[in-house]
Amino acid sequence: MAEKLAYTYVIVGGGIAGVTCAETLALLRPTDSTDRILLLTESALVKAVTNVVPLGKILNRFDVEEKSTGELAAANNIDVLLDQLDSIASEDHLVRTTAGRCISYRYLCLCTGARPNIIDKAKGNANVIGIRDTESVEEFRKRIHTATRLVVVGNGGIASELVYEVDGLEEVHWAIKDPYISSTFVDSGAASFFRERLNTKASVDKEKTIYKRMRYTEQNEESASAGVTKRGAALGPDWHRAFDIQKHGEAGTRNANKVTIHHSVEVEDIQEVTSGLQVRLTDGTTIECDFVVSATGVVPATSWTGGCDRTFKLGPDGGLFVNWSMETSLGDVYAAGDVCYAGWEHAPHWFQMRLWTQARQMGAMAARSMAAKRAGEEIYQDFCFEMFNHVTTLFGYQVVLLGRYNGQGLNDKYEVLLRMTPGLEYIKFVLVDGRLQGALLVGETGLEETCENLILNQLDLSPYGEDLLDPNIDIEDYFD
């Protein structure tokens, strides 16, 4: 007979969105409440946000650490169940798991994340791997110990960090579909700035510090024997500093200046050959390598084995359509993080990108909405959704993205102010009618809070003209 459980809140997913949702619910739960919280996760390791450093009103820099489910449960007085979602009976407020458990809920939050969008030319080849979670990074580490040639496909954050951080290989080929590198985050000017760092990394002392944190491992025997395929949670910021992804023990094979970038191409075909794989690009180039890393984005993980009794409304990208309170089209069912599509009317300076920053913000918002509905209270959308904001690290530099930092949605009707100090900083302001709409800050600029305020306040900066980024003028103090 199936095991039956009952909870007030059930959160599915042990990634940043799910864990943030569970932790926020635990904080909002009244001390005398009997409400029970369950986090349903496929992995014994979950991702928790730590070391939050405010850089402005909205902008925060933080670390993402792995925690054991036991540690998370004890710290927040919640229950954590190691199992996999099988089906949802929303009419009856029930979920079923692959282990046969039947769990009733008052409110359900789906934080199942996204899966790597492996290039279709891979055709299931085992030597084409995605980089998305801790498990896939561990697989990558194993492979580079016996490899000498690598092809990386993709132009986002993970691909950029991987190409810069990996070392010890004879050949690294980076295939990108755009005319310049890291186009997901930056413009061609910043790409040239980064390219200089990539070209000169041989002269940089890259003895990077590996984070010395408590590391957990999990026993896979039980799930493997049950034939269950687990999906780990997404990587967080600075993920490469938690892993040593350099090949050791072979002096003279450092690939410092041997990253070959193939611009404006896609993979046309992948064939197995005696020496490994043969990759053919759309420009006719043929590359032989030991394995391929596909870092070409993600697809919302909205499919469960048993499905749902009612059809979810989906967004154009396949994500679960949610309103500003993170509620889906099904009553009492919420969603947060990479699995959802932000279906509300966006603030002028906000747009959705599947990043750990927004996963954290959405998880907290879903928790606030569920708790308010439970208490019969009215709430408003969190202020963090007023402006796009994200902090990451690319090619060893801190990168801050604010508002419409690349002129997204402005139909090329904007002007750009630039300041670049080679090897030190790259600053870009995007203005419309003299008002700041977005900013890209590379390096330790100290302008994060100033730019936040200028975007939110929409102060007319026309009188300052190009002096706005004059290095002899401290605009941080000027607009304080």
Short mmCIF file of all heavy atoms in Angstrom, two decimals, residues 116-144:
data_model
loop_
_atom_site.label_atom_id
_atom_site.label_comp_id
_atom_site.label_asym_id
_atom_site.label_seq_id
_atom_site.Cartn_x
_atom_site.Cartn_y
_atom_site.Cartn_z
N PRO A 116 19.81 20.64 -19.55
CA PRO A 116 20.69 21.16 -20.60
C PRO A 116 20.11 20.91 -21.99
O PRO A 116 19.56 19.85 -22.27
CB PRO A 116 21.99 20.36 -20.40
CG PRO A 116 21.93 19.87 -19.01
CD PRO A 116 20.48 19.64 -18.71
N ASN A 117 20.24 21.90 -22.84
CA ASN A 117 19.78 21.77 -24.22
C ASN A 117 20.95 21.25 -25.07
O ASN A 117 21.65 22.01 -25.72
CB ASN A 117 19.29 23.13 -24.73
CG ASN A 117 18.72 23.06 -26.11
OD1 ASN A 117 18.23 22.03 -26.55
ND2 ASN A 117 18.80 24.17 -26.84
N ILE A 118 21.16 19.95 -25.02
CA ILE A 118 22.28 19.33 -25.73
C ILE A 118 22.08 19.50 -27.24
O ILE A 118 20.98 19.33 -27.76
CB ILE A 118 22.40 17.83 -25.39
CG1 ILE A 118 22.54 17.62 -23.88
CG2 ILE A 118 23.58 17.21 -26.12
CD1 ILE A 118 23.83 18.15 -23.31
N ILE A 119 23.15 19.86 -27.94
CA ILE A 119 23.06 20.06 -29.38
C ILE A 119 22.49 18.81 -30.06
O ILE A 119 22.86 17.68 -29.73
CB ILE A 119 24.43 20.42 -30.00
CG1 ILE A 119 25.52 19.44 -29.54
CG2 ILE A 119 24.82 21.83 -29.65
CD1 ILE A 119 26.89 19.71 -30.14
N ASP A 120 21.57 19.03 -31.00
CA ASP A 120 20.87 17.90 -31.61
C ASP A 120 21.79 17.00 -32.42
O ASP A 120 21.50 15.81 -32.61
CB ASP A 120 19.71 18.39 -32.49
CG ASP A 120 20.14 19.39 -33.54
OD1 ASP A 120 21.35 19.66 -33.65
OD2 ASP A 120 19.26 19.92 -34.26
N LYS A 121 22.92 17.54 -32.89
CA LYS A 121 23.85 16.71 -33.68
C LYS A 121 24.56 15.67 -32.81
O LYS A 121 25.25 14.79 -33.32
CB LYS A 121 24.89 17.59 -34.37
CG LYS A 121 24.30 18.62 -35.32
CD LYS A 121 23.53 17.97 -36.44
CE LYS A 121 23.08 18.97 -37.51
NZ LYS A 121 22.09 19.93 -36.99
N ALA A 122 24.38 15.75 -31.50
CA ALA A 122 25.02 14.78 -30.61
C ALA A 122 24.43 13.39 -30.80
O ALA A 122 25.13 12.37 -30.65
CB ALA A 122 24.88 15.21 -29.16
N LYS A 123 23.14 13.33 -31.10
CA LYS A 123 22.46 12.04 -31.36
C LYS A 123 22.70 11.03 -30.23
O LYS A 123 22.90 9.84 -30.47
CB LYS A 123 22.91 11.46 -32.69
CG LYS A 123 22.66 12.36 -33.88
CD LYS A 123 23.32 11.83 -35.14
CE LYS A 123 23.20 12.83 -36.30
NZ LYS A 123 23.97 12.41 -37.48
N GLY A 124 22.71 11.52 -29.01
CA GLY A 124 22.87 10.62 -27.87
C GLY A 124 24.28 10.13 -27.64
O GLY A 124 24.51 9.22 -26.84
N ASN A 125 25.27 10.70 -28.33
CA ASN A 125 26.65 10.26 -28.19
C ASN A 125 27.14 10.50 -26.75
O ASN A 125 27.03 11.61 -26.22
CB ASN A 125 27.54 11.02 -29.17
CG ASN A 125 28.91 10.39 -29.32
OD1 ASN A 125 29.62 10.20 -28.35
ND2 ASN A 125 29.27 10.07 -30.56
N ALA A 126 27.71 9.48 -26.13
CA ALA A 126 28.16 9.57 -24.75
C ALA A 126 29.34 10.51 -24.57
O ALA A 126 29.65 10.95 -23.45
CB ALA A 126 28.53 8.18 -24.22
N ASN A 127 30.03 10.82 -25.67
CA ASN A 127 31.18 11.72 -25.59
C ASN A 127 30.81 13.19 -25.82
O ASN A 127 31.67 14.04 -25.99
CB ASN A 127 32.26 11.30 -26.59
CG ASN A 127 32.96 10.03 -26.15
OD1 ASN A 127 33.26 9.86 -24.98
ND2 ASN A 127 33.19 9.12 -27.10
N VAL A 128 29.50 13.47 -25.86
CA VAL A 128 29.00 14.84 -25.87
C VAL A 128 28.26 15.06 -24.56
O VAL A 128 27.24 14.41 -24.31
CB VAL A 128 28.06 15.10 -27.07
CG1 VAL A 128 27.57 16.55 -27.05
CG2 VAL A 128 28.76 14.80 -28.38
N ILE A 129 28.80 15.90 -23.71
CA ILE A 129 28.22 16.07 -22.38
C ILE A 129 27.75 17.51 -22.17
O ILE A 129 28.27 18.45 -22.77
CB ILE A 129 29.21 15.68 -21.25
CG1 ILE A 129 30.41 16.63 -21.24
CG2 ILE A 129 29.66 14.24 -21.42
CD1 ILE A 129 31.33 16.42 -20.04
N GLY A 130 26.77 17.67 -21.33
CA GLY A 130 26.30 19.00 -20.94
C GLY A 130 26.92 19.39 -19.60
O GLY A 130 27.28 18.52 -18.81
N ILE A 131 27.05 20.68 -19.35
CA ILE A 131 27.50 21.17 -18.05
C ILE A 131 26.35 21.96 -17.45
O ILE A 131 25.99 23.03 -17.95
CB ILE A 131 28.74 22.09 -18.17
CG1 ILE A 131 29.93 21.31 -18.74
CG2 ILE A 131 29.10 22.67 -16.82
CD1 ILE A 131 30.57 20.33 -17.79
N ARG A 132 25.77 21.41 -16.38
CA ARG A 132 24.60 22.07 -15.79
C ARG A 132 24.61 21.99 -14.26
O ARG A 132 24.24 22.92 -13.59
CB ARG A 132 23.32 21.42 -16.34
CG ARG A 132 22.03 21.87 -15.69
CD ARG A 132 21.73 23.31 -15.98
NE ARG A 132 20.48 23.75 -15.34
CZ ARG A 132 20.13 25.01 -15.23
NH1 ARG A 132 20.90 25.95 -15.71
NH2 ARG A 132 19.00 25.34 -14.65
N ASP A 133 25.06 20.84 -13.74
CA ASP A 133 24.98 20.62 -12.30
C ASP A 133 26.29 20.03 -11.79
O ASP A 133 27.25 19.80 -12.54
CB ASP A 133 23.81 19.70 -11.95
CG ASP A 133 23.82 18.42 -12.80
OD1 ASP A 133 24.90 18.03 -13.26
OD2 ASP A 133 22.75 17.84 -13.00
N THR A 134 26.36 19.79 -10.49
CA THR A 134 27.57 19.27 -9.86
C THR A 134 27.99 17.94 -10.47
O THR A 134 29.18 17.69 -10.72
CB THR A 134 27.33 19.08 -8.35
OG1 THR A 134 26.94 20.34 -7.80
CG2 THR A 134 28.59 18.61 -7.66
N GLU A 135 27.01 17.08 -10.74
CA GLU A 135 27.32 15.76 -11.28
C GLU A 135 27.97 15.86 -12.66
O GLU A 135 28.91 15.12 -12.97
CB GLU A 135 26.03 14.92 -11.35
CG GLU A 135 25.45 14.51 -10.01
CD GLU A 135 24.74 15.64 -9.28
OE1 GLU A 135 24.49 16.69 -9.91
OE2 GLU A 135 24.46 15.48 -8.08
N SER A 136 27.49 16.78 -13.48
CA SER A 136 28.07 16.91 -14.83
C SER A 136 29.47 17.51 -14.77
O SER A 136 30.32 17.19 -15.61
CB SER A 136 27.15 17.74 -15.73
OG SER A 136 26.92 19.02 -15.20
N VAL A 137 29.74 18.38 -13.79
CA VAL A 137 31.09 18.92 -13.63
C VAL A 137 32.05 17.82 -13.20
O VAL A 137 33.19 17.74 -13.66
CB VAL A 137 31.12 20.09 -12.63
CG1 VAL A 137 32.56 20.57 -12.40
CG2 VAL A 137 30.29 21.25 -13.14
N GLU A 138 31.60 16.95 -12.31
CA GLU A 138 32.43 15.82 -11.89
C GLU A 138 32.74 14.91 -13.08
O GLU A 138 33.85 14.40 -13.21
CB GLU A 138 31.72 15.03 -10.79
CG GLU A 138 31.64 15.75 -9.45
CD GLU A 138 32.98 15.90 -8.75
OE1 GLU A 138 34.00 15.42 -9.29
OE2 GLU A 138 33.02 16.50 -7.67
N GLU A 139 31.77 14.72 -13.94
CA GLU A 139 31.99 13.91 -15.14
C GLU A 139 33.03 14.58 -16.04
O GLU A 139 33.91 13.92 -16.60
CB GLU A 139 30.66 13.74 -15.90
CG GLU A 139 30.77 13.06 -17.25
CD GLU A 139 31.20 11.60 -17.18
OE1 GLU A 139 31.08 10.99 -16.09
OE2 GLU A 139 31.66 11.08 -18.21
N PHE A 140 32.95 15.89 -16.16
CA PHE A 140 33.92 16.64 -16.96
C PHE A 140 35.33 16.47 -16.37
O PHE A 140 36.30 16.27 -17.10
CB PHE A 140 33.52 18.12 -17.01
CG PHE A 140 34.53 19.00 -17.68
CD1 PHE A 140 34.59 19.08 -19.06
CD2 PHE A 140 35.44 19.74 -16.94
CE1 PHE A 140 35.53 19.88 -19.70
CE2 PHE A 140 36.38 20.55 -17.56
CZ PHE A 140 36.42 20.62 -18.94
N ARG A 141 35.45 16.58 -15.06
CA ARG A 141 36.75 16.44 -14.39
C ARG A 141 37.37 15.08 -14.69
O ARG A 141 38.58 14.97 -14.92
CB ARG A 141 36.60 16.62 -12.89
CG ARG A 141 36.31 18.04 -12.44
CD ARG A 141 36.29 18.12 -10.94
NE ARG A 141 37.59 17.80 -10.38
CZ ARG A 141 37.79 17.24 -9.19
NH1 ARG A 141 36.78 16.90 -8.44
NH2 ARG A 141 39.00 17.01 -8.75
N LYS A 142 36.57 14.05 -14.66
CA LYS A 142 37.09 12.71 -14.94
C LYS A 142 37.63 12.62 -16.37
O LYS A 142 38.67 12.03 -16.62
CB LYS A 142 35.98 11.66 -14.74
CG LYS A 142 35.53 11.47 -13.31
CD LYS A 142 34.37 10.47 -13.25
CE LYS A 142 33.78 10.38 -11.85
NZ LYS A 142 32.58 9.51 -11.85
N ARG A 143 36.91 13.23 -17.29
CA ARG A 143 37.27 13.10 -18.70
C ARG A 143 38.55 13.86 -19.05
O ARG A 143 39.33 13.39 -19.90
CB ARG A 143 36.11 13.58 -19.58
CG ARG A 143 34.94 12.60 -19.61
CD ARG A 143 33.79 13.16 -20.43
NE ARG A 143 32.68 12.23 -20.48
CZ ARG A 143 32.44 11.38 -21.46
NH1 ARG A 143 33.29 11.30 -22.47
NH2 ARG A 143 31.40 10.57 -21.45
N ILE A 144 38.79 15.03 -18.43
CA ILE A 144 39.96 15.80 -18.84
C ILE A 144 41.27 15.14 -18.41
O ILE A 144 42.32 15.45 -18.96
CB ILE A 144 39.93 17.26 -18.32
CG1 ILE A 144 39.95 17.31 -16.79
CG2 ILE A 144 38.76 18.02 -18.89
CD1 ILE A 144 40.12 18.74 -16.27
#
